[in-house]
Amino acid sequence: MAFGNTIRYNPTAQWLHWLMAVLIIGTRVLGYYFEDLPRGPERSSLIGWHKATGSTVLPAVAFRLAWRSFNPPPPLSATMPLLLRKITGYAFIVYYLLMILVPLAGWAESNAFGYPVKLAGVLPLPVLLEKNESLGEAFRNVHVTLAWAFGILIAGHAAAALKHHFVDRDDTLARMLPNHGKKQK
């Protein structure tokens, strides 16, 4: 593994990747945990944290997309089969769509049930929908279904990165890790 010579994502892209990972996984864990709790202060508090962290995903992904448009990622390894490179490209499109659609569906769900959403739990966001409980149920189903699909995609992403690192012994994972002062190509 020639990690010292790896063409890496730039430090800002790396930071944004890991920030998004923490936000999205943390938000999903909170959502999974409160699903089975009875109504009460603990559940309400966790829902508040879930909405506060989930609402930060939208501006973070907007910044990430803007950054990426001016700072394209390094090319995938030429040793990777063409079909796998194409699948990887499509998977990243799906990641970005889910980073937008999951929080939007959650925001719409909250509004349809009559609850406001605040960016990071502080700044009130506009109301997308007036209260309509049947619409709230529909958006809850969309939100939960997309969140589960995203969780599965993230697990696959992590498994693929670990496979590349430990089985293929290539530099795919190293591209998203800090350089520690080693010279880049």
Side-chain angles (χ1 to χ4, degrees), residues 15 21-22 26-28 45 54 60 63 77 86 91 99 112 119 122 132 137 156 162-164 170 179 185:
W15 185 85
V22 168
T27 300
R28 182 62 195 113
S45 176
F63 184 79
S77 171
K86 286 184 181 228
M99 281 187 264
L119 179 63
V122 178
N132 178 329
E137 285 295 335
L162 293 173
K163 181 218 174 250
H164 276 284
D170 65 24
N179 196 7
K185 276 188 178 179

Side-chain angles (χ1 to χ4, degrees), residues 21 27 29 32 40-42 44 49 72 84-85 96 99-100 107 111 118 136 158-159:
T27 300
V29 167
Y32 180 77
E42 181 182 14
S44 294
W49 279 102
L84 189 54
R85 280 185 276 161
Y96 281 100
M99 281 187 264
I100 294 165
W107 183 0
N111 286 173
K118 295 179 181 177

